[in-house]
Amino acid sequence: MRDAEFFRNWMAAAAAAVEREADRLTELDSPIGDADHGSNMRRGFTAVLAALEAEPPATPGAVLQLAGRTLISTVGGASGPLYGMLLRRTGKSLGEAQEVSDADVGAALAVGVDAVSQLGGASAGDKTMLDALLPGVTALKTSYRSAATAAEEGAVATTPLRARKGRASYLGDRSIGHQDPGATSAALLLAALADTAEQAGGER
Ligand code: ADP
Ligand code: MG
């Protein structure tokens, strides 16, 4: 079972990955965006860590809901509300339990990813974060590491796609040939989750 500390560790691992990869995320956002994805994610996750440290929530659901609210209030770009929605809905779906199973985490993340699709109106193949999140969540049924791998493959597979949502869609065919920054950061978040699960050991 996974407790609040597991989810705080996930957010800390995500923040570290974002910090490490911020320049790359911004580089990916240069040709098909406005070169701010790395700084958006860094600002958001720095604030998430500060919020979780200031008043550590006692349940898994509360950790993710606080993280989500913090992203929404600190990130101006499209990715803030979308990732905020992902974490808030996932957290809400986990309810008030002190501990949750890996199956609960998988089911809750599926709800969160669905909410991202509803909010942004994007689906598979639109060259967005969903192209990493959707295969990632499907592969979660196997393991956290499979989810991370599937998300990374999904991110790489956005390169030949034409963007149909978000800023990159304004470029039409000129968006082809570039990996989507949001799909890339989504893969980082799922890799951080897999690392956290491997560190914690336990269920799988
Ligand atoms: P902005 O586009 O406002 O500058 P960011 O650069 O932080 O915001 O994030 C861009 C990423 O957000 C894109 O690479 C894409 O993955 C994701 N994105 C944009 N619009 C949508 C949408 N409607 N649905 C899902 N993801 C989206
Ligand atoms: Mg941008």
Coordinates of all heavy atoms in Angstrom, one line a residue, residues 1-2 9 11 26 39 53 55 68 74 90-91 95-96 115 118 123 132 135 137 164-165 167 175 184 191:
M1 N 0.8 -1.2 0.0 CA 0.0 0.0 0.0 C 0.9 1.3 0.0 O 2.0 1.2 0.5 CB -0.9 0.0 1.2 CG -1.9 -1.2 1.3 SD -3.1 -1.1 0.0 CE -4.4 -0.1 0.7
R2 N 0.3 2.3 -0.5 CA 1.1 3.6 -0.7 C 0.5 4.7 0.2 O -0.7 4.9 0.1 CB 1.1 4.1 -2.1 CG 1.4 3.0 -3.2 CD 2.8 2.4 -3.0 NE 3.2 1.5 -4.1 CZ 4.3 0.9 -4.2 NH1 5.2 1.0 -3.2 NH2 4.6 0.1 -5.2
N9 N 7.0 11.9 -2.1 CA 8.3 11.5 -2.7 C 8.1 11.6 -4.3 O 9.1 11.9 -4.9 CB 8.7 10.1 -2.3 CG 9.1 10.0 -0.9 OD1 9.4 11.1 -0.3 ND2 9.1 8.8 -0.3
M11 N 6.2 13.6 -6.0 CA 6.3 15.0 -6.3 C 7.7 15.6 -6.2 O 8.1 16.4 -7.1 CB 5.3 15.8 -5.5 CG 3.8 15.5 -5.7 SD 3.3 16.0 -7.5 CE 3.2 14.3 -8.2
T26 N 12.3 23.5 -22.5 CA 12.2 24.9 -23.2 C 12.7 24.8 -24.6 O 12.1 25.4 -25.5 CB 13.0 25.9 -22.3 OG1 12.2 26.2 -21.2 CG2 13.2 27.2 -23.1
S39 N 10.5 26.6 -18.1 CA 10.4 27.5 -17.0 C 9.0 27.4 -16.3 O 8.9 27.6 -15.1 CB 10.7 29.0 -17.4 OG 10.0 29.3 -18.6
E53 N 5.8 21.1 1.7 CA 6.7 21.2 2.9 C 6.0 22.0 3.9 O 6.2 21.8 5.1 CB 8.1 21.7 2.5 CG 9.0 20.6 2.1 CD 10.2 21.1 1.3 OE1 10.7 22.2 1.6 OE2 10.7 20.3 0.5
E55 N 2.9 22.5 4.7 CA 1.9 21.8 5.5 C 1.7 20.5 4.9 O 0.8 20.3 4.0 CB 0.6 22.7 5.4 CG -0.1 22.7 6.7 CD -1.2 23.8 6.7 OE1 -0.9 25.0 6.4 OE2 -2.4 23.4 7.0
G68 N -1.9 19.8 -7.3 CA -2.7 20.2 -8.5 C -3.2 21.7 -8.4 O -3.0 22.5 -9.3
T74 N 0.1 28.7 -10.0 CA 1.4 29.3 -10.3 C 1.9 29.2 -11.7 O 2.8 29.9 -12.1 CB 2.5 28.6 -9.4 OG1 2.5 27.2 -9.7 CG2 2.3 28.8 -8.0
T90 N -7.0 13.2 -10.0 CA -6.4 11.9 -9.5 C -6.5 11.8 -8.0 O -6.9 10.8 -7.4 CB -4.9 11.8 -10.0 OG1 -4.9 11.8 -11.4 CG2 -4.3 10.5 -9.5
G91 N -6.1 13.0 -7.4 CA -6.2 13.0 -5.9 C -7.6 12.9 -5.4 O -7.9 12.1 -4.4
G95 N -9.7 9.7 -2.9 CA -10.6 9.9 -1.7 C -9.8 10.2 -0.5 O -8.7 10.9 -0.6
E96 N -10.2 9.8 0.7 CA -9.6 10.2 1.9 C -8.9 9.0 2.6 O -8.5 9.1 3.8 CB -10.7 10.7 2.9 CG -11.2 12.1 2.4 CD -12.4 12.6 3.1 OE1 -12.8 12.0 4.1 OE2 -13.0 13.6 2.5
A115 N -9.9 13.6 -17.4 CA -10.2 15.0 -17.1 C -9.4 15.9 -17.9 O -9.8 17.0 -18.3 CB -10.1 15.2 -15.6
Q118 N -10.9 16.0 -21.3 CA -12.1 16.8 -21.2 C -11.8 18.3 -21.2 O -12.4 19.1 -22.0 CB -12.9 16.5 -20.0 CG -13.4 15.1 -19.9 CD -14.7 14.9 -20.6 OE1 -15.5 15.8 -20.8 NE2 -14.9 13.7 -21.2
S123 N -7.4 14.6 -27.9 CA -7.3 13.1 -27.7 C -6.1 12.6 -28.4 O -5.2 13.3 -28.8 CB -8.6 12.5 -28.3 OG -8.9 13.1 -29.6
A132 N 1.5 11.0 -24.4 CA 2.3 10.2 -23.4 C 1.4 9.7 -22.2 O 1.6 8.6 -21.8 CB 3.4 11.1 -22.8
P135 N -1.0 6.3 -23.3 CA -0.4 5.0 -23.3 C 0.2 4.7 -21.9 O 0.3 3.5 -21.5 CB 0.7 5.1 -24.3 CG 0.8 6.5 -24.6 CD -0.4 7.2 -24.3
V137 N -0.9 5.5 -18.9 CA -2.0 5.0 -18.0 C -2.4 3.6 -18.3 O -2.7 2.8 -17.4 CB -3.1 6.0 -17.9 CG1 -4.5 5.4 -17.8 CG2 -2.9 7.0 -16.8
R164 N -2.8 19.4 -33.3 CA -4.1 19.8 -33.5 C -4.7 20.6 -32.3 O -5.8 21.1 -32.4 CB -5.0 18.6 -33.8 CG -4.8 18.0 -35.2 CD -5.9 17.0 -35.6 NE -5.7 15.8 -34.8 CZ -5.4 14.6 -35.3 NH1 -5.1 14.5 -36.6 NH2 -5.3 13.6 -34.6
K165 N -3.9 20.7 -31.3 CA -4.3 21.5 -30.1 C -3.2 22.4 -29.6 O -2.0 22.1 -29.8 CB -4.8 20.5 -29.0 CG -6.1 19.8 -29.3 CD -7.3 20.7 -29.1 CE -8.5 19.9 -29.7 NZ -9.6 20.8 -29.9
R167 N -0.9 25.8 -28.7 CA -0.1 26.8 -29.4 C 0.5 26.2 -30.7 O 0.6 26.9 -31.7 CB 1.0 27.3 -28.5 CG 1.5 28.7 -28.7 CD 2.5 29.0 -27.6 NE 1.9 29.5 -26.4 CZ 1.5 30.8 -26.2 NH1 1.6 31.6 -27.2 NH2 1.0 31.2 -25.1
S175 N 4.4 22.2 -37.6 CA 4.6 21.5 -36.3 C 5.2 20.1 -36.5 O 5.7 19.5 -35.5 CB 3.3 21.5 -35.5 OG 2.4 20.7 -36.2
T184 N 6.7 15.2 -23.5 CA 8.0 14.9 -22.9 C 8.0 15.1 -21.4 O 8.5 14.3 -20.7 CB 9.1 15.9 -23.6 OG1 9.0 15.8 -25.0 CG2 10.5 15.5 -23.1
A191 N 8.1 8.7 -15.3 CA 9.4 8.1 -14.9 C 9.7 8.3 -13.4 O 10.2 7.5 -12.7 CB 10.5 8.6 -15.8

